[in-house]
Amino acid sequence: KADLSILESYYASSQLDARQLSDAFPYEMDGTWLTLSMPTYPDCRGKNQDDDFLFSLGRMSFDMFRPTGLLCSIQGIFNTVSKVDLDDHPPSSVPRRLQGEVLECVKNKESGTLRAYK
């Protein structure tokens, strides 16, 4: 956690908004990212010899797979961030209450980018 606080303070002091491309911050946020924190599943069963968190298969899969008591380790959790191509209509993943606002932005050619997190 101490390492993360160093990054947080550096980012805060830079006064850059990484969500918007600019001359000061020309890097894209899109791509596949490794999650730094422990999974939020309850009932962690400890860690294995490689320091990976252990959970039962039942807990990790909401009891969809068997044997539910099988211990599984998680080496990494990845999230993919990508731009969404709107083409005059928002995707079904945009909540209905926000679809009008998204369409209005597309129609007015307002800046900003809609991104999906998978």
Side-chain angles (χ1 to χ4, degrees):
K1 195 164 183 163
D3 292 337
L4 190 55
S5 66
I6 294 169
L7 289 173
E8 287 174 345
S9 64
Y10 174 76
Y11 180 75
S13 70
S14 71
Q15 298 181 346
L16 296 173
D17 184 352
R19 296 168 297 179
Q20 300 293 328
L21 292 179
S22 69
D23 291 336
F25 193 83
Y27 308 106
E28 293 271 351
M29 296 299 294
D30 299 341
T32 301
W33 295 83
L34 172 65
T35 302
L36 296 176
S37 59
M38 173 185 145
T40 57
Y41 299 118
D43 304 326
C44 179
R45 301 284 178 96
K47 292 183 176 183
N48 64 11
Q49 66 274 10
D50 295 323
D51 212 29
D52 300 322
F53 293 101
L54 297 171
F55 298 92
S56 69
L57 179 60
R59 172 53 69 191
M60 289 176 52
S61 68
F62 307 101
D63 290 330
M64 292 174 53
F65 300 106
R66 297 188 188 274
T68 57
L70 178 69
L71 283 182
C72 300
S73 64
I74 300 177
Q75 287 82 41
I77 298 174
F78 298 89
N79 294 297
T80 300
V81 178
S82 58
K83 291 178 186 171
V84 175
D85 184 20
L86 295 174
D87 290 337
D88 298 329
H89 66 281
S92 60
S93 59
V94 173
R96 264 187 257 147
R97 295 183 120 189
L98 292 177
Q99 287 183 2
E101 187 177 331
V102 170
L103 280 174
E104 195 65 29
C105 289
V106 170
K107 187 171 72 173
N108 295 331
K109 298 183 174 154
E110 293 179 18
S111 64
T113 303
L114 184 63
R115 286 187 163 78
Y117 300 85
K118 300 175 187 175

